[in-house]
């Protein structure tokens, strides 16, 4: 058995006693068998003319009360209403404070996210500019490469002709030297 809990037999006995009491209540009071709404419909008219008188310890009919008891009842009602209003105001203030903190936190988070977004947007723009620049340079290089190759080929042919001319001149000079030395 769990500590502090009654034995199972006592619980069953209590359930039986409650069921008997409910049965007796339904037989004695006709509207007790009905639901809460029906009970409220019967009890509401009886409570309408009643007020709480703390010095008498309960509800009394308002019509038959002495003026001082009536004043006491109205004062009690006012104090209860003021206390309820104060509790609701305190609860509303707490809720307002929580909401204010949440809104402030969300505002700060939004500012951080805006700054991050601005930084990312600037970085993206810079990278897009760099990419466009590199693409433009690539297009220039693609267009210039065939021209460079053609120019280099022309320079190579010119050098080959010049070297052939120089080799022929060297050969002629060597031949003449040989003739002069002979």
């Amino acid at each position: 058995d769990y500590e502090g809990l009654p034995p199972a037999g006592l619980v069953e006995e209590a359930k039986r006693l409650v069921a008997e009491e409910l049965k007796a209540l339904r037989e004695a009071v006709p509207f007790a068998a009905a639901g809460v709404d029906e009970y409220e419909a019967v009890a509401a008219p009886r409570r309408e003319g009643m007020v709480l008188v703390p010095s008498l310890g309960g509800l009394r009919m308002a019509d038959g009360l002495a003026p001082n008891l009536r004043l006491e009842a109205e004062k009690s009602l006012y104090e209860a209403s003021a206390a309820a209003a104060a509790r609701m105001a305190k609860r509303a203030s707490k809720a307002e404070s929580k909401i204010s903190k949440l809104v402030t936190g969300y505002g700060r988070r939004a500012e951080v996210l805006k700054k991050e977004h601005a930084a990312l947007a600037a970085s993206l723009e810079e990278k897009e500019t760099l990419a466009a620049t590199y693409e433009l340079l690539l297009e220039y290089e693609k267009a210039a490469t065939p021209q460079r190759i053609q120019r280099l080929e022309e320079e190579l042919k010119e050098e080959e002709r010049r070297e052939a001319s120089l080799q022929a001149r060297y050969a002629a000079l060597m031949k003449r030297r040989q003739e002069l030395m002979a």
Side-chain angles (χ1 to χ4, degrees), residues 29-66:
V29 183
F31 59 82
V36 174
D37 294 334
E38 288 83 4
Y39 176 77
E40 186 62 30
V42 170
R46 292 180 180 250
R47 282 196 312 260
E48 281 183 17
M50 302 188 87
V51 292
L52 175 66
V53 183
S55 64
L56 298 178
L59 295 173
R60 299 288 188 261
M61 291 300 292
D63 295 338
L65 285 179

Side-chain angles (χ1 to χ4, degrees), residues 94-166:
K94 284 182 179 178
E96 186 178 311
S97 174
K98 284 181 183 179
I99 290 172
S100 174
K101 288 177 185 175
L102 280 173
V103 167
T104 301
Y106 286 142
R108 287 182 186 151
R109 182 69 179 139
E111 287 300 318
V112 168
L113 290 175
K114 282 180 185 177
K115 287 178 183 176
E116 287 178 6
H117 178 265
L120 287 173
S123 174
L124 179 63
E125 185 177 342
E126 180 183 344
K127 296 212 184 315
E128 286 176 344
T129 302
L130 286 173
T133 302
Y134 287 126
E135 287 176 8
L136 186 61
L137 288 173
L138 180 63
E139 291 301 318
Y140 286 148
E141 289 298 316
K142 283 181 181 178
T145 301
Q147 293 172 355
R148 286 187 189 133
I149 292 173
Q150 183 181 3
R151 191 175 59 225
L152 287 174
E153 286 175 350
E154 288 173 3
E155 287 178 10
L156 179 64
K157 288 178 185 175
E158 180 65 32
E159 286 297 319
E160 286 174 350
R161 275 192 302 250
R162 189 169 171 224
E163 187 178 340
S165 164
L166 289 174

Side-chain angles (χ1 to χ4, degrees), residues 6-49:
L10 288 179
V11 172
E12 295 303 321
E13 180 66 18
K15 286 181 182 179
R16 186 186 62 74
L17 288 174
V18 168
E20 286 177 12
E21 187 66 29
L22 284 174
K23 182 180 176 187
L25 181 64
R26 286 188 184 111
E27 290 171 1
V29 183
F31 59 82
V36 174
D37 294 334
E38 288 83 4
Y39 176 77
E40 186 62 30
V42 170
R46 292 180 180 250
R47 282 196 312 260
E48 281 183 17

